[in-house]
């Protein structure tokens, strides 16, 4: 079954803790993206990667980090530097533009 | 401010009625896409319309694009309760060295049985 798998579905972060959100795809897409969605708002781009071992900052990259060691995987780490991490995080892939989305991870602060 | 802005913010209709959502944007685009998001879920791609196209259909969906007015509309005909969701427009443009997709804040559609 082709698609994008995000895990976990829900995640809680303690103060000063880094947490990592997983995104795996089997669509064979080169480009992968991480978006943040706050209540009642659209999506804002955090990071994107157009090819393995390469990634670029989006509009709101501060407090986040990513890696792209494999085509299938694009994990996002929310670091302790991100002071307002509570949001819905969505991973997307596409051949040249975001087109397919995962079901998201909801991150909350403990 | 956001590139794409949807109007209305919320829409409530009865089953069988048509629903129209509008999207306005500010800069030149390569394409415009519409997505649906059910509560707590990811986005589902509905339609992509290129900048040289004026109208596109997919099932009960009809999308128009007016580049002179920098606006698009999504029409859902004969709505069903299952159409209840948030709908987002996203403008596609090449900026900063990559194909960017900029989302509006969405229209929340409620279809009542």
């Amino acid at each position: 079954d082709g698609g994008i798998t995000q895990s976990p579905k829900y995640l809680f972060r303690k103060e000063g803790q880094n947490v990592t959100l997983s995104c795996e795809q089997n669509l064979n897409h080169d480009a992968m993206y991480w978006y943040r969605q706050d209540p009642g708002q659209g999506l804002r781009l955090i990071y994107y990667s157009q090819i393995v071992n390469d990634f670029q900052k989006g509009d709101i990259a501060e407090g986040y980090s990513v890696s792209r060691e494999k085509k299938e995987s694009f994990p996002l780490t929310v670091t302790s530097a991100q002071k307002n991490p509570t949001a819905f995080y969505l991973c997307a892939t596409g051949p040249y533009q975001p087109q397919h989305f995962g079901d998201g991870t909801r991150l909350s602060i403990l | 401010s956001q590139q794409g802005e949807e109007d209305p913010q919320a829409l409530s209709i009865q089953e069988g009625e048509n629903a129209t959502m509008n999207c306005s944007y500010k800069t030149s685009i390569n394409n415009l896409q519409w997505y649906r998001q059910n509560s707590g879920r990811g986005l589902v791609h509905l339609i992509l319309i290129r900048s040289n196209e004026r109208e596109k259909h997919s099932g009960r969906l009809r999308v128009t694009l007016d580049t002179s007015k920098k606006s698009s509309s999504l029409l859902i005909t004969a709505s069903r309760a299952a159409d209840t969701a948030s709908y987002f427009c996203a403008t596609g443009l090449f900026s900063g060295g990559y194909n960017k997709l900029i989302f509006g804040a969405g229209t929340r559609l409620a279809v009542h049985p």
Side-chain angles (χ1 to χ4, degrees):
Chain A
D1 187 25
I4 303 170
T5 302
Q6 286 189 246
S7 61
K9 192 172 177 64
Y10 300 97
L11 187 58
F12 298 91
R13 196 192 86 171
K14 296 178 182 178
E15 290 289 338
Q17 185 183 39
N18 293 352
V19 292
T20 297
L21 285 60
S22 170
C23 177
E24 302 280 331
Q25 58 116 346
N26 61 5
L27 299 168
N28 201 34
H29 288 156
D30 286 318
M32 297 186 74
Y33 308 81
W34 274 106
Y35 287 90
R36 170 180 171 139
Q37 185 178 31
D38 291 283
Q41 296 189 31
L43 278 63
R44 292 183 291 167
L45 182 66
I46 305 172
Y47 267 98
Y48 68 98
S49 168
Q50 293 180 297
I51 199 167
V52 174
N53 292 323
D54 184 61
F55 49 83
Q56 305 294 332
K57 293 182 179 180
D59 300 318
I60 55 166
E62 187 174 347
Y64 300 97
S65 66
V66 293
S67 63
R68 186 86 187 275
E69 296 176 3
K70 299 186 300 180
K71 187 174 186 177
E72 301 79 17
S73 178
F74 191 39
L76 173 74
T77 296
V78 184
T79 74
S80 57
Q82 173 48 247
K83 298 305 179 189
N84 184 24
T86 297
F88 191 48
Y89 290 86
L90 287 160
C91 176
T93 73
Y96 60 92
Q97 197 172 52
Q99 201 160 23
H100 301 272
F101 283 80
D103 269 346
T105 292
R106 190 166 299 280
L107 176 61
S108 304
I109 296 296
L110 278 178
Chain B
S1 62
Q2 295 185 17
Q3 161 80 323
E5 295 186 3
E6 287 94 340
D7 169 57
Q9 291 185 339
L11 183 60
S12 183
I13 60 175
Q14 297 296 125
E15 258 190 333
E17 293 180 341
N18 294 343
T20 300
M21 288 158 268
N22 302 298
C23 170
S24 61
Y25 57 92
K26 295 183 174 66
T27 65
S28 295
I29 61 172
N30 295 331
N31 58 65
L32 188 144
Q33 305 186 45
W34 285 91
Y35 290 83
R36 184 186 77 233
Q37 184 180 35
N38 290 88
S39 181
R41 302 294 298 274
L43 274 67
V44 174
H45 186 259
L46 297 176
I47 286 187
L48 180 151
I49 185 165
R50 301 186 195 285
S51 60
N52 61 353
E53 297 176 311
R54 292 296 167 258
E55 189 170 309
K56 213 160 181 183
H57 297 254
S58 176
R60 294 184 295 114
L61 306 180
R62 173 178 166 249
V63 167
T64 62
L65 178 64
D66 187 335
T67 53
S68 67
K69 295 181 179 177
K70 292 187 169 58
S71 68
S72 173
S73 68
L74 170 67
L75 169 67
I76 304 174
T77 60
S79 63
R80 306 166 182 168
D83 294 328
T84 295
S86 291
Y87 291 81
F88 294 89
C89 73
T91 49
L93 59 152
F94 191 79
S95 173
Y98 75 101
N99 285 302
K100 225 172 182 178
L101 203 58
I102 303 177
F103 288 84
T107 293
R108 293 186 308 280
L109 173 66
V111 182
H112 302 284

